[in-house]
């Protein structure tokens, strides 16, 4: 589920943007997973902007 985000990669950083979200989401893997603080940031943005509520 992309929730309307577009992604581009710069080195090991995966940067996500959304037309209705002011912040950029910058993820860098820690092993095979996102870092815990990044998961919290993404969750906060999803809740703040009510993304995925229509799905």
């Amino acid at each position: 589920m992309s929730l309307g985000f577009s992604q581009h990669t710069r080195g090991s950083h995966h940067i996500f943007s959304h037309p209705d979200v002011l912040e950029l989401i910058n993820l860098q893997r820690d092993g095979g997973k996102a870092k815990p603080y990044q998961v919290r940031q993404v969750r906060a943005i999803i809740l703040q902007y009510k993304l995925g509520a229509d799905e």
Side-chain angles (χ1 to χ4, degrees):
M1 179 186 316
S2 69
L3 298 174
F5 284 89
S6 60
Q7 174 194 357
H8 68 275
T9 304
R10 177 172 274 166
S12 63
H13 294 265
H14 300 267
I15 302 167
F16 297 85
S17 60
H18 189 285
D20 299 328
V21 176
L22 298 175
E23 300 88 0
L24 292 177
I25 298 175
N26 183 0
L27 300 179
Q28 185 179 21
R29 288 186 175 185
D30 185 11
K33 301 179 181 180
K35 296 176 182 180
Y37 77 90
Q38 294 171 332
V39 173
R40 288 190 297 272
Q41 288 175 342
V42 170
R43 182 178 185 276
I45 289 172
I46 290 170
L47 293 174
Q48 176 183 353
Y49 290 95
K50 296 177 178 62
L51 300 175
D54 296 339
E55 296 177 17

